[in-house]
């Protein structure tokens, strides 16, 4: 059977491989501790669930506009002004089925075959696959440990070519936990502002920032705001991963192109989830929940660092945001675990799961072959 080239070339996810194996072991009765999940262990707040129930009771289960309800777009506009100091119109907002869907839509809207997309490494493993799906070319820029795995202005300048269409910037970062300061973002913005490239600013972890205040690169100047596509959503911050609501804020031509494509692919996001997301952004109870979530994850961040400090042979970069920590395991390469040779992060993670009932994500497909990623979004125990 013929499989289209675009599908055949997609790389399998090591994250899903490890997660599936961990799930299988749990089903077999093994006591597996999983540090793989990219979601908080919190329940969606009651006020959001109540809003969903109310929408159901009112029969709000019909189609909505393909690019999202006006009520949710207004809530997003208010959120961007309140949290980021960014002024948008509702016609510049598109609601999609999660932030991953937003990223796919944007890349499909702006990248032609052969266009280059700059991706700082380490990176979320989905970015290059999405670039591949639209025929683009991923240009990986290797960030350095001594810079906290953050892209510098000099590195960005060196990576830009006449074929560069976009830069994907994830802040706070998955998998490193790195957070760009305002000054660091401004230095990147200074370079970007001299070009016409589009910045795809993935800010889905923005509230989980333990180092600095919230700052979007789009706030640098009006020109840069027009060059930036802000991607965000409710999944990580409001413990709504399964609700599948994300949004973009972008210049009207990009938003219009994305909305048009979405109208012919998925049509509107889930109606009930949209009404629940309005409550997430607008209900005053949300601020208390976000403060509790951030404090809890910060406590777990400090806990996992203390535990890792006690393990000989391992090192890590201190995470300043999100809920991940990357652990350097290269000193274990060349050794054996119960007869199985450890020659890669994948082999390390496999042995850890099979022999220790602990699931972690190898970072080869994140552009960091010496590391595994641990999520500290699970309970303290």
């Amino acid at each position: 059977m013929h499989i289209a080239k675009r599908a055949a070339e997609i790389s399998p996810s090591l994250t899903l491989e490890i997660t599936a194996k961990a799930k299988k072991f749990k089903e077999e009765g093994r006591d597996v501790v999983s540090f793989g999940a990219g979601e908080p262990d919190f329940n969606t707040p009651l006020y959001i669930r109540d809003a969903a129930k109310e929408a159901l009771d009112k029969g709000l289960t019909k189609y909505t506009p393909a690019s999202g309800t006006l009520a949710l777009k207004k809530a997003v506009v208010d959120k961007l002004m309140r949290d980021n100091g960014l002024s948008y119109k509702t016609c510049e907002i598109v609601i999609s089925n999660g932030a991953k869907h937003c990223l796919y839509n944007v890349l499909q809207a702006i990248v032609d075959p052969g266009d280059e997309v700059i991706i700082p490494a380490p990176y979320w493993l989905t970015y290059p696959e999405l670039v591949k799906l639209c025929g683009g070319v991923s240009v990986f820029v290797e960030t350095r440990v001594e810079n906290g795995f953050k892209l510098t202005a000099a590195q960005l300048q060196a990576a830009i070519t006449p074929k560069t269409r976009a830069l994907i910037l994830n802040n706070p970062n998955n998998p490193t936990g790195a957070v760009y300061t305002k000054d660091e973002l401004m230095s990147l913005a200074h370079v970007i502002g001299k070009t016409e490239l589009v910045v795809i600013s993935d800010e889905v972890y923005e509230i989980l920032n333990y180092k600095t205040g919230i700052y979007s690169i789009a706030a640098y100047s009006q020109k840069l705001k027009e060059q930036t596509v802000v991607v965000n959503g409710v999944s990580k911050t409001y413990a709504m991963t399964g609700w599948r609501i994300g949004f973009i804020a972008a210049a009207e031509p990009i938003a219009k192109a994305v909305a048009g494509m979405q109208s012919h692919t998925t049509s509107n996001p889930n109606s009930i989830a949209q009404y629940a997301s309005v409550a997430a952004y607008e209900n005053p109870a949300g601020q208390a929940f976000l403060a509790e979530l951030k404090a809890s994850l910060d406590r777990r961040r400090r806990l996992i660092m203390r535990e890792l400090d006690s393990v000989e042979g391992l090192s890590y970069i201190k995470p300043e945001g999100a809920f991940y920590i990357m652990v350097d395991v290269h000193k274990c390469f060349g050794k054996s675990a119960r007869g199985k040779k450890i020659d890669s992060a994948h082999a390390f993670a496999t042995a850890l799961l099979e022999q220790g009932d602990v699931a972690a994500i190898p970072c080869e497909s994140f552009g960091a072959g010496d590391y595994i990623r641990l999520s500290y979004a699970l309970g303290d125990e």
Side-chain angles (χ1 to χ4, degrees):
M1 181 179 293
H2 174 73
I3 300 297
K5 184 179 179 182
R6 75 179 68 88
E9 289 184 345
I10 294 299
S11 302
S13 170
L14 289 179
T15 301
L16 294 180
E17 176 190 328
I18 294 291
T19 302
K21 186 176 286 189
K23 182 180 179 182
K24 180 176 179 290
F25 286 176
K26 284 184 178 181
E27 291 172 349
E28 293 172 353
R30 293 170 63 168
D31 184 18
V32 175
V33 177
S34 179
F35 291 94
E39 60 181 350
D41 67 334
F42 281 61
N43 286 329
T44 302
L46 180 60
Y47 79 91
I48 297 175
R49 287 180 276 147
D50 285 343
K53 293 173 186 175
E54 182 180 351
L56 281 169
D57 290 342
K58 289 181 177 179
L60 300 176
T61 57
K62 307 298 184 184
Y63 290 129
T64 76
S67 61
T69 65
L70 182 60
L72 182 50
K73 289 183 179 184
K74 286 181 176 178
V76 168
V77 166
D78 290 344
K79 172 259 179 294
L80 289 165
M81 176 54 74
R82 179 180 67 244
D83 295 343
N84 308 99
L86 295 170
S87 176
Y88 286 94
K89 298 176 289 187
T90 55
C91 63
E92 297 172 312
I93 307 297
V94 179
I95 312 299
S96 299
N97 298 284
K100 185 184 289 189
H101 187 211
C102 293
L103 292 163
Y104 172 83
N105 284 343
V106 171
L107 287 165
Q108 289 290 335
I110 67 172
V111 175
D112 285 320
D115 286 347
E116 295 177 351
V117 178
I118 296 172
I119 303 176
Y123 47 80
W124 183 39
L125 79 174
T126 291
Y127 293 147
E129 304 306 318
L130 296 180
V131 172
K132 194 184 299 181
L133 279 171
C134 56
V137 178
S138 294
V139 176
F140 300 112
V141 179
E142 301 292 333
T143 59
R144 301 187 181 96
V145 173
E146 56 266 30
N147 292 330
F149 285 125
K150 289 183 279 189
L151 179 70
T152 67
Q155 286 180 309
L156 174 59
Q157 184 68 66
I160 296 172
T161 76
K163 291 184 178 181
T164 303
R165 178 67 61 194
L167 160 69
I168 299 179
L169 188 66
N170 182 204
N171 183 43
N173 182 270
N174 171 16
T176 66
V179 175
Y180 289 81
T181 66
K182 181 178 179 179
D183 287 344
E184 288 166 340
L185 288 174
M186 289 178 72
S187 67
L188 295 176
H190 181 69
V191 174
I192 296 161
K194 298 176 182 178
T195 74
E196 296 304 317
L197 67 85
V198 175
V199 184
I200 302 173
S201 184
D202 183 350
E203 302 176 8
V204 73
Y205 296 101
E206 68 167 356
I207 200 70
L208 302 176
N209 177 340
Y210 316 110
K211 181 178 181 181
T212 64
I214 295 173
Y215 184 79
S216 172
I217 195 169
Y220 177 74
S221 67
Q222 182 59 32
K223 181 180 186 297
L224 207 78
K225 177 172 171 282
E226 293 173 0
Q227 288 178 249
T228 301
V229 179
V230 174
V231 177
N232 209 326
V234 297
S235 292
K236 311 297 184 180
T237 46
Y238 291 96
M240 295 176 69
T241 50
W243 297 72
R244 309 313 304 136
I245 295 293
F247 70 80
I248 68 163
E252 190 172 356
I254 293 178
K256 185 176 179 180
V258 167
M261 289 193 309
Q262 186 163 294
S263 71
H264 291 292
T265 52
T266 61
S267 193
N268 66 271
N270 179 280
S271 63
I272 302 304
Q274 289 189 73
Y275 292 112
S277 297
V278 171
Y281 285 126
E282 292 189 343
N283 193 308
Q287 294 306 308
F289 173 77
L290 293 178
E292 179 188 0
L293 176 69
K294 183 175 179 179
S296 175
L297 289 169
D298 189 17
R299 184 183 69 251
R300 297 172 188 182
R301 176 178 73 110
R302 297 173 189 279
L303 171 60
I304 200 166
M305 287 192 291
R306 286 199 303 271
E307 292 299 315
L308 287 169
D309 286 340
S310 68
V311 182
E312 186 178 350
L314 300 183
S315 61
Y316 60 87
I317 299 298
K318 182 179 179 181
E320 302 288 359
F323 39 68
Y324 307 106
I325 186 167
M326 278 207 333
V327 182
D328 187 345
V329 297
H330 84 276
K331 290 184 179 179
C332 298
F333 297 171
K335 298 181 180 181
S336 295
R338 297 179 188 172
K340 286 193 175 183
K341 188 175 180 181
I342 306 299
D343 56 7
S344 66
H346 183 255
F348 182 97
T350 300
L352 193 63
L353 178 57
E354 293 179 347
Q355 301 179 26
D357 287 337
V358 172
I361 304 301
C363 288
E364 284 97 337
S365 53
F366 291 80
D370 289 345
Y371 291 80
I372 60 171
R373 188 195 75 176
L374 303 178
S375 166
Y376 50 87
L378 66 168
D380 295 53
E381 291 181 8

